């Protein structure tokens, strides 16, 4: 299965995040399942490898984009019939991405890059609010959540 950074980037406005990884050139960079497996092997040798953590997290994040876009584009009747399944699929992929990005946050030199991604994931999963909250309150809740992140061992996921 292939997933594209194009999708990774196109999902960002939905999550209120910034462009990341410097892929503003418009070139679609793909992360294949094999790329993910290769980076998981790197993580077995060096569990704190920022690049590998980021790539595996991005792989799962990218997979969440398609069900999100499909659900977002449905008419109400169709959403009531099929939307819950798509939302669950999106959440499952984001939950798989989350520990990789949290670990990447713990080892990142530039924490702001990962912070924006985590903010979007936390909002999509309902960990921090995404509506009816001031920017100040949102940043306070985000910073509280980020300050509690500790590096954790990740068991390979399928």
């Amino acid at each position: 299965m292939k997933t594209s950074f194009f999708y990774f980037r196109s999902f960002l406005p939905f999550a209120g995040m910034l462009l990341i990884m410097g892929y503003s050139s418009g070139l679609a960079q793909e992360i294949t399942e094999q790329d993910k497996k290769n980076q998981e092997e790197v993580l077995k040798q060096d569990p704190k490898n920022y690049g590998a953590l980021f790539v595996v997290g991005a792989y799962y994040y990218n997979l969440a984009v398609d069900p999100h876009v499909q659900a977002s584009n449905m008419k109400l009747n169709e959403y009531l019939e099929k939307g819950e399944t798509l939302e669950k699929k999106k959440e499952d992929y984001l939950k798989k991405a989350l520990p990789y990005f949290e670990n990447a946050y713990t080892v990142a030199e530039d924490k702001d890059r990962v912070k924006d991604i985590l903010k979007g994931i936390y909002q999509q999963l309902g960990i921090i609010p995404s509506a009816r909250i001031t920017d100040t309150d949102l940043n306070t809740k985000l910073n509280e959540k980020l300050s509690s992140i500790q590096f954790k061992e990740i068991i390979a996921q399928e």
Side-chain angles (χ1 to χ4, degrees), residues 86-100:
L86 291 169
E87 295 289 348
K88 173 80 171 106
K89 187 184 268 189
K90 173 187 79 171
E91 287 179 12
D92 289 346
Y93 287 131
L94 290 176
K95 286 177 183 176
K96 287 181 179 183
L98 185 58
Y100 291 98

Side-chain angles (χ1 to χ4, degrees), residues 73-141:
N73 290 328
M74 288 181 169
K75 294 186 175 169
L76 181 58
N77 288 342
E78 185 181 13
Y79 183 83
L80 293 172
E81 184 179 316
K82 302 175 189 174
E84 189 174 320
T85 303
L86 291 169
E87 295 289 348
K88 173 80 171 106
K89 187 184 268 189
K90 173 187 79 171
E91 287 179 12
D92 289 346
Y93 287 131
L94 290 176
K95 286 177 183 176
K96 287 181 179 183
L98 185 58
Y100 291 98
F101 283 120
E102 286 182 333
N103 279 354
Y105 182 81
T106 68
V107 299
E109 290 182 21
D110 179 6
K111 292 191 183 304
D112 287 340
R113 294 178 81 193
V114 182
K115 179 180 177 179
D116 288 330
I117 297 165
L118 286 171
K119 176 182 173 185
I121 292 173
Y122 291 152
Q123 287 179 313
Q124 290 289 318
L125 295 177
I127 295 169
I128 62 172
S130 59
R132 298 187 182 156
I133 188 168
T134 66
D135 287 343
T136 302
D137 289 341
L138 174 61
N139 286 329
T140 299
K141 291 188 181 301

Side-chain angles (χ1 to χ4, degrees), residues 3 7 11 58-70 86 89-95 97 124:
T3 183
Y7 292 116
F11 188 47
Y59 173 81
Y60 288 117
Y61 185 99
N62 289 347
L63 292 176
V65 173
D66 190 48
H68 175 80
V69 170
Q70 285 181 36
L86 291 169
K89 187 184 268 189
K90 173 187 79 171
E91 287 179 12
D92 289 346
Y93 287 131
L94 290 176
K95 286 177 183 176
Q124 290 289 318

